[in-house]
Amino acid sequence: MNDTKQSVLELVKSNEEKCLSVIKNAQESGRIDMVTREYLEKLYSNSMDSFRKVFLYIGKCFGAPKASVRAYNYESDSIINKAITISEINPLSPYLVNHRLDTDPMRNQFFMTDNGHKIDTAVSSIVTVIVGAQKHVNRAIDKITNKYYPKYTDEVCDAVYKIIADTGRVASAVAVCEKIRELFAKTFISDASVAVLGIIGTEHRQIAADLVRELDKIRPPYKRLRDVWRIKCLFDLVPQARTFINRICDTWTDNILEVRDKFFDVLNPRGYRDAKLILNIGDKDKIVPMEIICQVRTFFEFEHKTHNAYEKSRKSKTSLIKIEEQTELIHTQGVKKYNKMINYCVADLFDRIGWNILYSSGNDDMLFEGFPRLSDICYPQKVVDDILKKVDTAVNNEVFFVENAPLKLDKDQEIRIFRWMARFILISAMPFIGDMSECFDDTMSGKFFSFIMNELQRYYKDAE
């Protein structure tokens, strides 16, 4: 074990030296500036210590693994049939591990039986965690210079144009922005304030304070690099992912750098339906961001197809518009596959509704105990209230009713049941603008699921 540990440390140390050399050469050649070099050197030094923190945070989130830890292959998005030990884990090799989400709000509600005694869990509390290797330093520099730097330049020009144009000097604003773009194209600059003040001279000195104030709000390119360390968590259901995110935010409030939730974003141009959390695993003096991507399991296979499409676009002359059209179609398929599973879950719950009423005798909601609450992230309260009122009306008019209940239910009981079902759909299903008919069936549960999803479509269309 000691020999393995020593060889791993030597491998990591050798890689660090190579990374620092690449960073140094990038700065000396003018590809990046000194501030960016110093930031990258912090991220690519003592990488074993940073990776231990990645490992530590995962352990605090989930506890011990529930199965053997396996090596992982990025190219095929699959595990390698090779178990690895703790002593072999290092920042240069990705691995996959399965954990259990102890705070899972669904509590294994959904399962299938075979021959009366064989149980197959249809939705589980198991979370598949893919721990990525340290981002290759060349890819990190490429991302800063080719992706983030042009965006940074655009944001600087937009801010400068607005402030100068607001004084009535539109022509002057255009001229200054042209000079900024020319300078930023010649030299990599991450301190926009100094560069812009040098360009405007004395003509706009009276607005210098306003310029500096706005430019300092713009995040420099190197600080946009958040995925040198990254993990991906695969959940069965959206509410499980959101429970996990809430737990991290509550546990490490001061370490949260960014939270982005796109599970319900129907207007996302690239079609991604996931959530991203950036956590600082360093300290206040040395921020080391770790990216945590949360995704539903059924969507994962479709994401790999889109990655392949974007990789091809980089190597060919395929237009970005065409690629995005292809990926939008792929992600649409992912949304529909996920929603089909939610439709199954709704049907499974309806089959057990009557038994729950019978066992509880109206005293409590045993089946619904632990169901996740509606989140502000989901929909505005007014939208939820309006949908629930429409559910009440539909039940009162006997559009929806509980089938095969072991005892006769009154309207209040039925309304209570359908309201629970509506809440489950609202927190679990992914909204979608377009034809979703293939996600539904002709059963009572399928019709109810269709009813709720159509109401959500109406909400999104009204919001456009």
Side-chain angles (χ1 to χ4, degrees), residues 55 84 94 103 139 240 330 364 405:
F55 189 83
I84 57 177
T103 54
R139 292 194 64 182
Q240 293 172 329
I330 292 172
D364 52 40

Side-chain angles (χ1 to χ4, degrees), residues 290-303:
M290 176 175 70
E291 179 185 74
I292 304 175
I293 297 292
C294 297
Q295 195 171 50
V296 293
R297 207 180 305 273
T298 55
F299 213 74
F300 182 61
E301 62 185 84
F302 294 97
E303 183 199 53

Side-chain angles (χ1 to χ4, degrees), residues 353-367 416:
I353 287 286
W355 292 106
N356 179 71
I357 294 294
L358 180 64
Y359 287 139
S360 65
S361 299
N363 294 325
D364 52 40
D365 293 317
M366 291 194 305
L367 180 67
R416 183 161 57 96

Side-chain angles (χ1 to χ4, degrees), residues 70-132:
R70 298 280 174 174
Y72 188 76
N73 186 303
Y74 276 139
E75 297 299 323
S76 61
D77 272 333
S78 61
I79 60 171
I80 300 172
N81 192 23
K82 173 184 177 295
I84 57 177
T85 64
I86 292 178
S87 62
E88 295 175 302
I89 291 176
N90 67 82
L92 307 183
S93 304
Y95 69 88
L96 181 148
V97 58
N98 288 301
H99 292 274
R100 181 179 296 279
L101 180 63
D102 292 330
T103 54
D104 175 16
M106 307 317 296
R107 298 186 183 180
N108 292 327
Q109 291 284 359
F110 308 107
F111 52 87
M112 294 177 287
T113 59
D114 184 28
N115 295 330
H117 64 281
K118 295 181 180 179
I119 301 297
D120 178 20
T121 304
V123 174
S124 76
S125 300
I126 296 299
V127 183
T128 299
V129 181
I130 302 171
V131 182

Side-chain angles (χ1 to χ4, degrees), residues 390-404:
K390 291 182 179 180
V391 168
D392 294 351
T393 301
V395 174
N396 281 322
N397 293 334
E398 298 187 352
V399 175
F400 300 116
F401 52 88
V402 178
E403 298 176 308
N404 303 321

